[in-house]
Amino acid sequence: LAVSGLTYAYGRQRVLDGVDLTVAPGELVALMGRNGSGKTTLLRTLVGLLRPASGEVQIEGRPIRGQSTAEICRRVGYLPQQPDDLLFAETVCQEVEATLGYHRLLASPPIAPDDLLGRLGLSGQAEAYPRDLSVGQRQRVALAAVTVTRPPLLLLDEPTRGMDYRAKEDLQALLCGWRSEGTGILLVTHDVELVAQAADRVLILDAGRIVADGAPAEVLSGEEVFSPQVAQVFPGCGWLTVEDALAALRAPESTSTP
């Protein structure tokens, strides 16, 4: 994904103000920001649901201008904040099969639906009516529907919303596995712990502009609002995760005093 000079306004209110960003193959980029900073609007422009006033979006080196959302989403898996927007089938399994059918991949799916549902903790709900499930389960059903075709780019808007700790761990493992296979991922989230553990880069969006872009240790260590608990317990040490702290404290040359 390559975005340059992207702007968008609701009436006279400019929501995106010259956004530049990139996501490389095999890179997980976290996009963070306060509520109302423009994160969801940005994702919606990237899949053609909103038309920007100016700027360019390229996916795999091809501009999306003039393409429909359906055309764009053949190469992009987009998970909106509200999973119900994607759920319409009678069963969880049918939701996944509908995506494969639309892309003419039902006979040879890139990933077996049963395997994907299992990795998302949904094997026991394969025949359930999706809208009867919990918020977290519906989120995972929607995620399965947009990722079963294994698109090269994923745009995920708050995918851990409503998930418990175990479900978030499983999702993190799944995303990291896809990243290692070359998938580019742009993850909008408020979950600083997930970002600290999984992201390659962190972007901070503020008032429609990217105001920070760097490694998690660089960006999150200096952010009071988006600081992981470990960084708050050990300020100034540059540690973001429990693993960071344990590794540093166990090192023979460590002179840190908690």
Side-chain angles (χ1 to χ4, degrees), residues 39-255:
K39 303 183 299 298
T40 294
T41 297
L42 174 59
L43 292 194
R44 290 172 66 84
T45 62
L46 299 183
V47 292
L49 291 171
L50 299 174
R51 298 296 179 183
S54 62
E56 184 174 67
V57 177
Q58 291 189 0
I59 297 170
E60 295 186 304
R62 295 166 51 192
I64 68 167
R65 188 177 296 276
Q67 296 183 41
S68 68
T69 296
E71 290 173 313
I72 295 168
C73 286
R74 288 193 175 96
R75 293 176 290 146
V76 180
Y78 170 54
L79 178 71
Q81 239 181 74
Q82 302 298 329
D84 289 350
D85 291 347
L86 298 181
L87 305 180
F88 60 89
E90 292 299 315
T91 69
V92 169
C93 188
Q94 287 175 9
E95 293 285 2
V96 177
E97 291 174 347
T99 303
L100 290 171
Y102 178 76
H103 292 286
R104 299 180 181 179
L105 293 170
L106 197 55
S108 56
I111 180 172
D114 289 346
D115 180 46
L116 179 59
L117 293 179
R119 294 171 73 178
L120 287 169
L122 293 168
S123 294
Q125 287 77 38
E127 298 304 318
Y129 181 56
R131 291 177 181 267
D132 286 342
L133 302 176
S134 69
V135 172
Q137 289 172 324
R138 295 201 304 274
Q139 195 82 343
R140 280 177 279 158
V141 173
L143 183 61
V146 301
T147 59
V148 70
T149 60
R150 292 304 314 279
L153 176 65
L154 297 180
L155 307 177
L156 310 178
D157 199 348
E158 298 287 357
T160 61
R161 191 169 61 93
M163 290 187 184
D164 59 23
Y165 182 78
R166 177 60 184 274
K168 286 198 288 186
E169 275 195 326
D170 291 342
L171 174 62
Q172 179 181 327
L174 192 62
L175 295 180
C176 289
W178 284 337
R179 174 182 59 184
S180 69
E181 295 169 7
T183 301
I185 303 168
L186 181 60
L187 171 69
V188 169
T189 185
H190 287 93
D191 191 332
V192 293
E193 313 303 331
L194 173 63
V195 173
Q197 293 170 355
D200 298 302
R201 279 194 297 130
V202 182
L203 310 179
I204 303 295
L205 188 66
D206 184 36
R209 296 183 178 183
I210 301 293
V211 297
D213 181 350
E218 172 190 342
V219 175
L220 298 183
S221 295
E223 279 283 343
E224 293 184 6
V225 177
F226 306 110
S227 181
Q229 293 180 10
V230 169
Q232 295 175 30
V233 173
F234 300 104
C237 293
W239 307 335
L240 301 182
T241 67
V242 171
E243 291 76 15
D244 291 341
L246 290 175
L249 293 170
R250 288 170 176 166
E253 66 275 13
S254 175
T255 57

